[in-house]
Amino acid sequence: MTSERLGIFGGTFDPPHIGHLVTAVNVRHELALDRVLLVVNNVPWQKVGSRAISAAEDRLRMVEAAVSDVPGLEPSRIEIDAGGLSYTADTLAALLAEDPGRELFVILGADAASGLPSWERVDEVREQATVVVVERPGARRATPPPGGWRWVEVEVPHLEVSSTDLRQRVVDGRPLDYLVTHEVVDCIEELGLYRERG
Ligand code: ATP
Ligand code: MG
């Protein structure tokens, strides 16, 4: 017996935008998922590369602000609490250890889905979850890697929005309105994020 159908939508969410939110609510609806967790990736200091990534707690705060009034979407700090570099294989195992009756669905935009073969212990991801892919403007359509994946494509409105563009908008003083929720606009202002970066 399945106890719940649980979506896992991981991201840096720096910041979370309508592309993420529209994807999460529509996949939840189409696949009749009980909940979708927006799992904020922890980015350890070892991995900070060419751009500054906002503190994990600040990114979590923005996700909380974005989904607080949306039924079925929930922020998750599971990877922040695990610390260090978290792999999806481990996150799925932890979610199944909490409740083995869950059916897991890993939600990915096409750009992220194309990177699947390079993931750590990708065979464990394949065993533990169904992959749900949505198209993303500017990204090539993703196809399942070889090897018997449970793979579902879900049609969602195509929104050409990225966190990269939103960060640049703050630097340039251009508006974020309607690309992120107004709660997220307020949160970015309060936290003073993105003012000094490209
Ligand atoms: P950045 O520009 O910093 O990489 P991003 O907008 O790509 O940010 P991420 O946090 O990297 O956002 O993405 C998390 C997940 O959301 C990934 O699976 C990504 O493919 C998906 N995603 C992001 N934006 C969209 C969008 N506009 N439409 C569909 N999926 C999206
Ligand atoms: Mg991205």
Side-chain angles (χ1 to χ4, degrees):
M1 251 292 277
T2 301
S3 59
E4 69 168 340
R5 292 164 64 80
L6 182 65
I8 294 105
F9 190 28
T12 314
F13 300 120
D14 196 14
H17 53 67
I18 57 166
H20 299 128
L21 301 171
V22 167
T23 294
V25 293
N26 283 282
V27 169
R28 174 170 182 254
H29 177 80
E30 288 302 320
L31 300 183
L33 304 181
D34 296 292
R35 299 187 290 152
V36 173
L37 303 181
L38 283 84
V39 178
V40 177
N41 296 156
N42 187 42
V43 180
W45 62 269
Q46 296 97 320
K47 279 283 161 181
V48 174
S50 52
R51 78 167 180 94
I53 293 168
S54 305
E57 295 292 344
D58 288 352
R59 291 181 285 112
L60 179 74
R61 245 180 87 179
M62 290 190 282
V63 172
E64 286 168 350
V67 304
S68 63
D69 56 355
V70 186
L73 301 196
E74 294 179 15
S76 168
R77 52 179 303 127
I78 187 169
E79 293 190 354
I80 298 175
D81 290 343
L85 241 194
S86 340
Y87 297 115
T88 301
D90 297 323
T91 301
L92 300 180
L95 290 168
L96 284 176
E98 261 175 39
D99 175 0
R102 283 172 172 160
E103 187 171 354
L104 305 185
F105 297 81
V106 172
I107 303 164
L108 300 169
D111 58 319
S114 296
L116 252 183
S118 69
W119 286 17
E120 179 80 11
R121 285 173 280 121
V122 72
D123 48 319
E124 292 180 22
V125 176
R126 186 186 60 218
E127 299 314 318
Q128 296 179 103
T130 298
V131 170
V132 182
V133 181
V134 304
E135 286 185 27
R136 182 169 186 187
R140 297 173 68 135
R141 196 153 169 263
T143 49
W149 286 77
R150 283 170 282 162
W151 186 276
V152 182
E153 289 174 19
V154 173
E155 183 65 29
V156 302
H158 294 185
L159 296 168
E160 193 163 359
V161 184
S162 71
S163 302
T164 301
D165 174 64
L166 290 162
R167 293 190 297 272
Q168 189 60 48
R169 281 175 171 270
V170 177
V171 172
D172 299 345
R174 286 178 291 144
L176 304 186
D177 305 286
Y178 306 114
L179 298 170
V180 304
T181 69
H182 68 83
E183 288 87 350
V184 171
V185 175
D186 291 348
C187 202
I188 290 170
E189 271 170 23
E190 266 171 46
L191 295 169
L193 298 175
Y194 314 127
R195 286 183 192 155
E196 287 166 14
R197 342 170 169 141

